[in-house]
């Protein structure tokens, strides 16, 4: 397509950030104002009746698992949880950078996935069977990377280094156990499990689209996932769950322990005046609310209520903030807002929130990589040139 400057044709129409642009078809997920659907199943149905393992199988394999398929799939994940020594050694070496903040867990997770790719015997293959094997190995190992990273930050022995954790724990339960060395309560385990279901897939979001662009060149699964992790880290995307909790902590520091509504509203007005983006709010597609947010908010609030006044006060502050955002800006919270509060009252360290998002979204990313490879066409849009008009080098 000729660029505008060269042909003096009117600039082609485009929308910044590809807003509203249909960039492809997918059988995996539908993100609409009315419903969020994974391969035909609505998110409230899945959050109420499914486990993350059910959803991971559905996304990766393409249908609801039979009892036998699910049992075999769970055993595969458990058998693949442990990490190769080279990755463990890298995580230990990354310890000082993690402790002094030079590297954050999302960076270290991204590198660990890259090293896993270097060591995966199927690394260079992109056929469906090899891709599915790699997707299962990454789904199994990413929680172990997160757990070991947290153990190293805490200066403690690695939990489950040889075994990848406790084979009797679910995927969600083992993730908590690997990070903390403690078995989660049934309530904690189910809350993490539902958060993983909610985070698993969301059609052509920025990180998934990045994974499809990489897969579209016929590059490999680990490369696509490494790129997707880099994209998800950003605070406008997955990094918002950490940034939302940081924002609430900032409000708490500024207004003190009591939820003085006038002080919170004044804090918000100052943020509006400074044109601050309030983390955990707004969405490129959802304009009437994120279907996932109320589900996680309800689960997190129940944990806060079981814990005590301070934790309930956090949720009440969040509810004052979101009511004001809706009233004054008509902007709803997205899933990252309740996620921050929920993981916080569960004692999960803030820098692990987005890595936990990765532990879930690996299933969505891998499903899209497999879909792209299965019916590929290079993803290469055009741009409108707005640079200098043509000139001769020798005239300079
Ligand atoms: C995720 O895409 C997905 O599906 C992503 C995700 C997934 O599951 O993969 O759902 C996960 O990434 C959720 C989003 C997490 N990000 C945040 O919470 C960061 C804060 N949110 C904003 O930066 C923003 O809402 C975006 C980036 C999420 C979406 O922004 P858009 O569609 O580009 O909209 P915009 O920035 O153009 O905002 C439109 C207007 C602007 O006002 P004006 O400049 O026109 O006056 O709304 C305002 C914005 O200033 N606005 C906000 C705001 N979000 C939008 N103002 C204050 N705080 C906000 N959070």
């Amino acid at each position: 397509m000729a660029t505008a400057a060269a042909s003096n044709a009117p600039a082609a129409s485009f929308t910044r950030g590809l807003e509203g642009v249909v960039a492809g078809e997918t059988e995996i997920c539908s993100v609409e104002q009315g419903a969020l659907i994974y391969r035909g199943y609505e998110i409230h149905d899945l959050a109420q009746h499914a486990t993350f393992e059910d959803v991971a199988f559905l996304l990766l394999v393409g249908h609801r698992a039979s009892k036998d398929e699910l049992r075999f799939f769970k055993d595969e994940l458990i058998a693949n949880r442990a990490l190769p020594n080279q990755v463990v050694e890298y995580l230990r070496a990354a310890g000082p950078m993690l402790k002094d903040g030079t590297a954050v867990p999302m960076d270290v997770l991204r590198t660990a996935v890259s090293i896993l790719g270097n060591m995966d015997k199927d690394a260079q293959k992109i056929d469906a069977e090899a891709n599915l094997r790699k997707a299962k190995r990454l789904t199994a190992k990413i929680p172990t990377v997160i757990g070991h990273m947290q153990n190293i930050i805490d200066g403690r022995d690695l939990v489950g280094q040889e075994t990848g954790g406790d084979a009797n724990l679910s995927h969600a339960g083992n993730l908590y156990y690997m990070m903390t060395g403690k078995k989660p309560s049934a309530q904690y385990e189910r809350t993490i499990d539902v958060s993983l279901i909610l985070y698993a897939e969301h059609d052509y979001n920025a990180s998934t689209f990045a994974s499809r662009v990489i897969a579209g060149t016929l590059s490999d699964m680990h490369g696509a996932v490494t790129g997707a992790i880099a994209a998800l880290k950003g605070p406008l995307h997955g990094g918002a769950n950490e940034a939302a909790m940081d924002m609430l902590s900032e409000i708490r520091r500024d207004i003190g322990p009591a939820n003085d509504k006038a002080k919170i509203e004044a804090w918000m007005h100052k943020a509006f005046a400074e044109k601050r983006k309030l983390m955990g709010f707004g969405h490129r597609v959802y304009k009437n609310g994120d279907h996932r947010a109320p589900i996680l908010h309800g689960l997190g609030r129940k944990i806060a209520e079981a814990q005590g006044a301070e934790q309930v006060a956090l949720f009440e502050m969040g509810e004052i903030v979101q009511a004001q955002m809706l009233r004054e800006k008509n902007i709803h919270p997205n899933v990252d807002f309740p996620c921050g509060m929920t993981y916080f009252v569960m004692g999960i360290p803030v820098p692990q929130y987005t890595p936990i998002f990765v532990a879930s979204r690996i299933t969505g990313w891998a499903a899209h990589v497999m879909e792209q490879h299965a019916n590929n066409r290079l993803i290469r849009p055009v741009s409108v040139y707005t640079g200098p008009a043509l000139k001769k080098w020798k005239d300079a």
Side-chain angles (χ1 to χ4, degrees):
M1 171 185 166
T3 55
S7 68
N8 294 322
S13 67
F14 73 99
T15 64
R16 291 188 66 222
L18 302 183
E19 181 159 11
V21 170
V22 175
E25 293 179 325
T26 180
E27 295 178 357
I28 303 166
C29 176
S30 167
V31 175
E32 301 288 345
Q33 304 304 340
L36 169 56
I37 293 168
Y38 296 171
R39 294 198 192 274
Y41 294 93
E42 195 274 331
I43 197 64
H44 291 84
D45 188 8
L46 293 171
Q48 194 170 352
H49 302 300
T51 65
F52 175 69
E53 288 90 331
D54 290 313
V55 169
F57 185 98
L58 174 71
L59 292 172
L60 292 177
V61 182
H63 65 263
R64 178 177 174 173
S66 67
K67 273 198 178 6
D68 289 347
E69 285 173 320
L70 187 61
R71 178 72 265 148
F72 184 76
F73 178 65
K74 285 179 176 178
D75 289 347
E76 278 187 298
L77 293 181
I78 290 167
N80 278 283
R81 285 172 172 170
L83 296 178
N85 283 334
Q86 292 89 331
V87 176
V88 175
E89 289 323 307
Y90 161 67
L91 294 176
R92 289 191 194 284
M97 287 94 84
L98 283 166
K99 284 183 185 142
D100 72 17
T102 311
V104 295
M106 277 296 277
D107 306 328
V108 173
L109 175 55
R110 187 191 71 227
T111 305
V113 164
S114 213
I115 298 171
L116 285 169
N118 302 159
M119 308 182 62
D120 191 302
K121 58 187 182 313
D122 288 324
Q124 307 311 327
K125 297 174 194 148
I126 64 168
D127 60 276
E129 293 72 24
N131 272 343
L132 183 55
R133 289 193 297 269
K134 292 190 279 188
K136 289 175 183 174
R137 288 195 279 267
L138 282 169
T139 302
K141 292 182 185 321
I142 284 171
T144 308
V145 173
I146 295 169
H148 285 2
M149 236 196 298
Q150 193 54 46
N151 303 159
I152 289 164
I153 292 168
D154 294 338
R156 55 183 300 164
D157 292 342
L158 298 188
V159 176
Q161 182 180 351
E162 302 309 321
T163 58
D166 183 330
N168 299 312
L169 289 174
S170 69
H171 201 76
N174 196 60
L175 169 61
Y176 182 86
Y177 172 62
M178 295 295 280
M179 283 192 287
T180 63
K182 291 182 285 193
K183 307 281 173 70
S185 66
Q187 184 182 25
Y188 274 33
E189 191 265 348
R190 184 56 184 157
T191 298
I192 293 172
D193 195 41
V194 173
S195 74
L196 297 180
I197 291 170
L198 299 177
Y199 268 141
E201 162 57 13
H202 220 233
D203 104 335
Y204 275 31
N205 61 85
S207 55
T208 300
F209 190 63
S211 73
R212 290 195 76 126
V213 169
I214 295 166
T217 70
L218 299 187
S219 187
D220 65 283
M221 174 72 73
H222 286 83
V225 171
T226 303
I229 294 173
L232 190 77
K233 173 188 174 183
L236 294 188
H237 189 14
N241 57 14
E242 296 179 17
M245 192 56 229
D246 290 343
M247 179 185 77
L248 289 170
S249 298
E250 184 187 337
I251 296 174
R252 178 58 75 218
R253 273 196 307 277
D254 291 352
I255 70 165
N259 283 340
D260 180 318
K261 204 162 172 220
K263 284 185 181 175
I264 294 171
E265 291 187 351
W267 193 96
M268 295 286 284
H269 287 147
K270 183 166 177 290
F272 294 158
E274 292 162 354
K275 288 265 182 221
R276 273 182 72 166
K277 284 278 192 282
L278 297 175
M279 294 292 122
F281 285 93
H283 198 276
R284 173 60 60 79
V285 178
Y286 294 137
K287 299 305 175 191
N288 304 319
D290 184 329
H291 309 293
R292 303 164 294 180
I295 298 171
L296 197 46
H297 190 106
L299 290 171
R301 204 184 207 285
K302 281 199 175 74
I303 290 178
E305 285 158 6
Q307 286 185 345
E310 190 183 331
Q311 289 79 4
V312 171
L314 171 65
F315 270 80
E316 286 174 344
M317 174 168 60
E319 287 152 9
I320 293 168
V321 167
Q322 69 184 56
Q324 187 173 349
M325 275 298 275
L326 196 55
R327 189 173 60 248
E328 297 187 19
K329 292 278 184 183
N330 193 29
I331 295 177
H332 296 262
N334 57 58
V335 63
D336 291 322
F337 191 63
C339 175
M341 294 188 282
T342 300
Y343 287 174
F344 188 79
V345 297
M346 294 176 77
I348 296 172
V350 174
Q352 296 293 4
Y353 294 3
T354 317
I356 294 172
F357 195 154
V358 173
S360 166
R361 187 58 56 91
I362 176 62
T363 56
W365 291 332
H368 280 271
V369 167
M370 290 190 276
E371 187 177 64
Q372 184 72 32
H373 278 158
N375 179 19
N376 188 52
R377 180 147 170 68
L378 180 74
I379 298 173
R380 199 284 186 208
V382 291
S383 65
V384 174
Y385 174 71
T386 57
L390 212 53
K391 46 191 172 185
K392 290 282 184 212
W393 186 261
K394 67 177 177 41
D395 295 349

